Every structure is written in structure tokens, then in C-alpha cells.
Amino acid sequence: MEFVQLADGRKLEYLIEGPADGVPLVFHHGTPGAAVRFAPLAESAVRHGLRLVSPGRAGYGASTPNPGRSIADVAADTAALLDAIGADRFYSIGMSGGGPHSLACAALLPGRCIAAASVAGVGPANADGLDFMVGMGEENLAEFGAAFEGRDALEPLLEAASSGLAAAAPADLAAAFGDLVSEVDKAAMTGPILDWLAASCRRSVAESIAGWRDDDLAFVKDWGFPLDRITTPVAIWQGDQDRMVPADHGHWLAAHVSGCTFHFLPGEGHLSLLNSIDQVVADLGSVR
């Protein structure tokens, strides 16, 4: 694990691997999540000549919390990290709760961000034409219902859930996710995907619930940038069997992110999309 000191005194943890002269591929993890190596993504990045950079967002792992942050704030943190490793241009990819953060980089770092992808990424909570919670599993209905009520309602719920995540064993994870995983996602919870998911869950709450809480609160307020003015090439990836981030989110984003390319994969869920990660990376890397 490496760290970068930010201008406001916070520190950001990150992992980095791949060719030193490769263009960085910045991976924005899900919610909750952390800077944990996902082997299939790392191998894909190297195969395509890219340098994988995996930061832990503010409040996750050993990254200093930034209470009250917006989705937009990740762009400045990403830029500071890139400055620290001496990188100018980069690709951005975000999974699930990382999707909006990848879009923030596309919107707010134009020219520097070559292209961005949102993989099963959540849409804006208060957007016209998107019923944010329809189709979500019971656990997300409770979590986002509390997030809409505010910090005082959300924190006790996340504290109660964090003890299970802190001790997350791969064999128990499907049961722990309950109604959030469709049958295709249960089938995908094996091998590297399952190992990474369990390790990411554990590290996400190793210090506190601050990152998870601040992600949720950021999702349900204004993101801080317009989606319809993005000039960076963006790819939206979505399955129709997703109970964490339902397909309506992908369709809404596809209709509202300027000039994006929509990859809709019938029969795929949330986690099962990770089986297509090499295709996502190859698609990103085709933009120069």
C-alpha cells in the first residue's frame, strides 16, 4: 500500500502495478469497498499496456475521511494522486458505487481523462425519470432509505452491518448479501471475484464506516457536475439481472450522459459483469 498527501492534509491510500511507462487506469471501487487488488483487472491492465492505480476513497481503509464530500470531490483527489505518480493523462473505470466517481473524472478532468467507464454504476438519486430504489434488493432499500433521511438515520444501520463485513469470509458472502444478489450473481461469486470482494469488504470498514457513510450521503445529494455536458468519451455497462443497481440506472445514464456508448448485457447481473472486465478495459484502451 502506498500513500499520497493531499493539499488539505488528508492522505489517500492506493495500490499501483503495471508498466512504469503505461498510461494509468484508475479504478474506483464500489460501495463499500477499498484499495484491494482485483487480479483479473490487474492482469487485464497489464495485458493492454496500462498501469493500474487503485485508490481507496476518502474514509475507506487508511484514507482520511472527508465528511460532507460530494461525488465531484473525487476528481481533485484523483488529480493529486496522478500528479504524485507523475502521470498526465489517464483512463477511469468505476464499479457500482465507483461509477459516479468515474463519471466525475470524465466531467471534471476533461483532456486529462482520456475515456471513462461506469460498470453497473448507480444513477443520480433525485433525477427526473429515474425511480432510484425500484428493483433494489431489500438491504439496499433499507440502506438508501436511511441515507435519504440523513446521517443520523444512516450511521446506526451501517454500524450494525459493518461487523459482518469486518469478518467477511468468502464462503459466507453470498448469504450475507441476501436479497442483493440475483442467481447469476451468486454463480459469479467464486474464485478471484469472491476473494477480492471479501477482502474489499473487510478493508472497507477496517477503520470505520466513514467512507461507506459518506458515499451513501453523496449519492443522494447533487453530484456536483452536469452529466449532459461531458465531453470525455464514456462507456456505460449494465446487466438486466442486477439487484444492487437495477437496470433502470444504466438506461437512465445512457440517455443522459453526453455522447456515451451503452453496453447492455441481458442475462448479466451486478457482480457477473466483472467476468467481462477485460472487454471493458479493451474498450477503454481503444480510445486514444
Side-chain angles (χ1 to χ4, degrees):
M1 193 69 70
E2 301 190 44
F3 297 88
V4 60
Q5 194 76 26
L6 302 174
D8 62 2
R10 290 182 295 116
K11 67 177 180 180
L12 199 69
E13 69 175 21
Y14 68 98
L15 297 174
I16 186 167
E17 66 177 292
D21 61 349
V23 175
L25 171 62
V26 177
F27 176 58
H28 304 273
H29 60 71
T31 302
V36 172
R37 185 179 190 269
F38 180 42
L41 177 57
E43 292 160 5
S44 177
V46 171
R47 188 160 47 247
H48 293 283
L50 303 176
R51 193 180 189 196
L52 181 61
V53 182
S54 302
R57 277 193 302 282
Y60 285 116
S63 292
T64 310
N66 185 17
R69 60 179 165 87
S70 68
I71 301 295
D73 289 333
V74 80
D77 287 358
T78 301
L81 172 54
L82 293 167
D83 290 344
I85 63 173
D88 183 16
R89 304 175 75 218
F90 73 106
Y91 296 98
S92 178
I93 179 173
M95 173 69 190
S96 188
H101 297 89
S102 184
L103 295 178
C105 288
L108 300 173
L109 301 173
R112 195 168 192 182
C113 183
I114 303 167
S118 171
V119 182
V122 66
N126 299 302
D128 290 338
L130 176 62
D131 198 328
F132 187 76
M133 294 198 293
V134 166
M136 287 185 177
E138 293 177 5
E139 291 81 358
N140 269 12
L141 291 176
E143 181 176 333
F144 282 112
F148 277 113
E149 291 183 42
R151 178 171 175 165
D152 289 345
L154 181 62
E155 282 188 334
L157 185 149
L158 298 186
E159 290 285 4
S162 68
S163 58
L165 288 187
D172 303 326
L173 213 53
F177 279 15
D179 195 41
L180 292 174
V181 284
S182 59
E183 291 304 313
V184 68
D185 278 336
K186 290 178 184 177
M189 294 177 72
T190 184
I193 290 178
L194 183 58
D195 291 341
W196 165 74
L197 191 60
S200 184
C201 285
R202 290 193 299 270
R203 185 158 184 81
S204 72
V205 293
E207 300 288 335
S208 72
I209 61 161
W212 191 1
R213 175 201 66 207
D214 295 338
D215 265 3
D216 281 354
L217 295 175
F219 292 142
V220 300
K221 68 181 183 181
D222 186 88
W223 286 5
F225 58 93
L227 291 168
D228 61 357
R229 297 181 201 168
I230 294 176
T231 57
T232 301
V234 170
I236 307 293
W237 296 77
Q238 180 72 49
D240 67 346
Q241 301 299 308
D242 193 334
R243 295 189 56 74
M244 295 188 190
V245 180
D248 284 354
H249 288 244
H251 286 290
W252 190 95
L253 289 169
H256 292 83
V257 175
S258 299
C260 75
T261 301
F262 188 33
H263 301 271
F264 184 62
L265 281 63
E268 297 292 353
H270 193 80
L271 300 172
S272 70
L273 279 182
L274 291 170
N275 287 321
S276 301
I277 199 66
D278 189 63
Q279 185 181 352
V280 176
V281 174
D283 180 72
L284 268 182
S286 68
V287 182
R288 302 293 180 180

